[in-house]
């Protein structure tokens, strides 16, 4: 389910079945790193939207957690922990963070959710069908990871 009113209405009537929140993590960087920042966000957006379609009824795709790349890591983590606490208080059993920023690997032990890091694939020069094919391939790999995490907590 996406963060749109129609899906949220459905969620509110069937939230006992939706036990997973997916949070895309986007860094915003202007200047020399702007293209890389935009490319990473595009990749994670396509990936998480496709993932949401695969697991509609099981997960909620929340809006991306967006931060400035040059902010202090401690401040970024503190803000994300607020999101995490709020999501956990609202009875989500599983939280997945999806990012293409490798820096998050250093901080994943501070999060109670599962961090998934994927290097951003350069999509800007691909046709739409090539993008879909590439994203489908990535999502297939994530499907088993999600089901494994769900089974661990049965």
């Amino acid at each position: 389910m996406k963060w749109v009113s129609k899906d949220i209405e459905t969620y509110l009537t069937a939230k006992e079945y939706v036990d997973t929140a997916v949070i895309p993590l986007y860094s915003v960087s202007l200047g020399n790193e702007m293209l890389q920042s935009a490319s990473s966000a595009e990749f994670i957006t396509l990936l998480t939207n496709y993932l949401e379609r695969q697991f509609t009824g099981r997960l909620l795709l929340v809006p991306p957690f967006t931060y400035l790349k040059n902010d202090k890591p401690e401040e970024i983590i503190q803000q994300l922990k607020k999101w995490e606490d709020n999501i956990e208080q609202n009875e989500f059993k599983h939280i997945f963070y999806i990012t293409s920023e490798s820096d998050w690997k250093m901080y994943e032990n501070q999060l109670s959710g599962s961090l998934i890091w994927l290097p951003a694939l350069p999509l800007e020069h691909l046709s739409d069908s090539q993008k879909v094919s590439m994203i489908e391939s990535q999502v297939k790999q994530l499907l088993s990871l999600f089901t494994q995490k769900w089974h661990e907590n049965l």
Side-chain angles (χ1 to χ4, degrees):
M1 296 176 183
K2 293 184 181 172
W3 195 259
V4 295
S5 56
K6 181 182 175 199
D7 284 3
I8 296 303
E9 284 178 6
T10 303
Y11 163 75
L12 291 172
T13 62
K15 64 182 179 179
E16 67 271 13
Y17 303 108
V18 183
D19 65 352
T20 303
V22 172
I23 305 173
L25 303 175
Y26 295 171
S27 71
V28 174
S29 187
L30 301 175
N32 295 339
E33 296 179 340
M34 186 185 278
L35 180 59
Q36 176 61 37
S37 178
S39 180
S40 294
E42 178 185 13
F43 171 71
I44 296 299
T45 298
L46 289 171
L47 183 81
T48 54
N49 282 328
Y50 198 87
L51 188 65
E52 181 276 333
R53 282 195 294 276
Q54 297 299 308
F55 289 122
T56 297
R58 179 77 194 255
L59 66 79
L60 177 65
L61 176 59
V62 301
F65 176 79
T66 307
Y67 58 95
L68 294 172
K69 176 92 170 159
N70 59 359
D71 276 352
K72 294 179 181 172
E74 311 81 50
E75 294 171 3
I76 297 168
I77 297 292
Q78 184 179 17
Q79 279 298 111
L80 186 55
K81 291 292 290 174
K82 288 181 185 177
W83 281 46
E84 188 174 75
D85 292 344
N86 191 275
I87 289 168
E88 288 173 339
Q89 289 170 10
N90 283 283
E91 301 179 25
F92 284 90
K93 295 178 186 161
H94 309 279
I95 301 173
F96 288 92
Y97 303 100
I98 301 182
T99 186
S100 61
E101 295 289 329
S102 61
D103 295 352
W104 279 103
K105 294 299 284 174
M106 292 186 291
Y107 306 105
E108 74 179 306
N109 63 342
Q110 297 178 41
L111 303 171
S112 61
S114 300
L115 179 75
I116 298 171
W117 171 78
L118 298 163
L121 301 175
L123 303 174
E124 57 268 12
H125 302 294
L126 300 178
S127 69
D128 286 346
S129 63
Q130 290 172 317
K131 287 179 186 179
V132 168
S133 176
M134 206 175 258
I135 295 296
E136 283 178 344
S137 163
Q138 292 288 310
V139 168
K140 283 180 186 172
Q141 294 177 38
L142 292 178
L143 295 178
S144 62
L145 179 65
F146 272 65
T147 53
Q148 175 188 347
K149 288 287 186 183
W150 288 331
H151 284 44
E152 285 176 7
N153 295 325
L154 286 179

